[in-house]
Amino acid sequence: MKILMLHGINHNMFGKRDPAQYGTITLDEINASLQALGRDLGVEVEHFQTNSEREMCERIHQGFVDQVDAVLINAGAWTHYSYGIRDALAILTCPIVELHMSNIHAREAFRHVSVFAEIVKGQICGFGVDSYLLALRAGVSAAQAAKK
């Protein structure tokens, strides 16, 4: 089973950016945690990060071509306004799990809206790095259920 983890804009700056919201964990450490849990669950986790909306859409399209089993996405700020990424995600036929390290519903009003909400299987937010691990477990479970 192949799971695609998509990291959005500014996530390359985790560990440096707003530690009050995101802690000091780096993107490399997040990816290492996902890889370790993926091994425990018997799944392959591929990760991709970009600050380019175009590149994100193209990677989502490639995920469709590759027939990944599930997609996990923390799109960062794009979550709240990128209809281009939303439309790319809508092409996928596999489960999609949206996640955020911070609780987007306890932050600024503009962060309360997700343009992806109508097309994702579910959302996980507010648990720091554990949001990623919870999302991986949810994505694997949803992919397994979809194959039945």
Side-chain angles (χ1 to χ4, degrees):
M1 182 175 294
K2 187 171 186 177
I3 309 297
L4 177 59
M5 175 67 237
L6 299 172
H7 301 283
I9 192 164
N10 298 316
H11 292 180
N12 57 308
M13 298 305 291
F14 280 152
K16 297 173 184 74
R17 177 180 172 229
D18 195 358
Q21 288 296 333
Y22 306 110
T24 58
I25 193 162
T26 67
L27 187 60
D28 287 341
E29 291 170 326
I30 291 168
N31 287 332
S33 294
L34 285 168
Q35 292 295 332
L37 180 57
R39 282 190 298 277
D40 290 348
L41 297 174
V43 300
E44 177 186 351
V45 180
E46 181 180 342
H47 51 85
F48 176 79
Q49 189 279 326
T50 185
N51 293 316
S52 165
E53 197 169 3
R54 172 181 170 248
E55 289 176 7
M56 181 64 79
C57 289
E58 289 175 353
R59 186 61 191 93
I60 293 166
H61 297 165
Q62 189 61 49
F64 175 82
V65 171
D66 294 345
Q67 297 181 338
V68 297
D69 295 292
V71 169
L72 315 178
I73 185 166
N74 181 348
W78 288 328
T79 301
H80 316 295
Y81 68 86
S82 179
Y83 292 99
I85 292 174
R86 182 229 185 265
D87 288 350
L89 289 168
I91 294 167
L92 297 171
T93 56
C94 65
I96 305 164
V97 179
E98 177 186 335
L99 69 116
H100 302 279
M101 288 177 56
S102 67
N103 181 350
I104 61 173
H105 304 290
R107 295 186 62 192
E108 305 93 334
F110 77 90
R111 294 186 197 275
H112 299 181
V113 175
S114 166
V115 298
F116 309 149
E118 293 177 347
I119 61 166
V120 299
K121 177 76 174 166
Q123 300 169 317
I124 298 170
C125 68
F127 296 99
V129 68
D130 286 339
S131 290
Y132 284 92
L133 304 177
L134 292 165
L136 178 55
R137 290 182 183 280
V140 169
S141 178
Q144 290 170 336
K147 290 184 183 283
K148 291 182 181 176

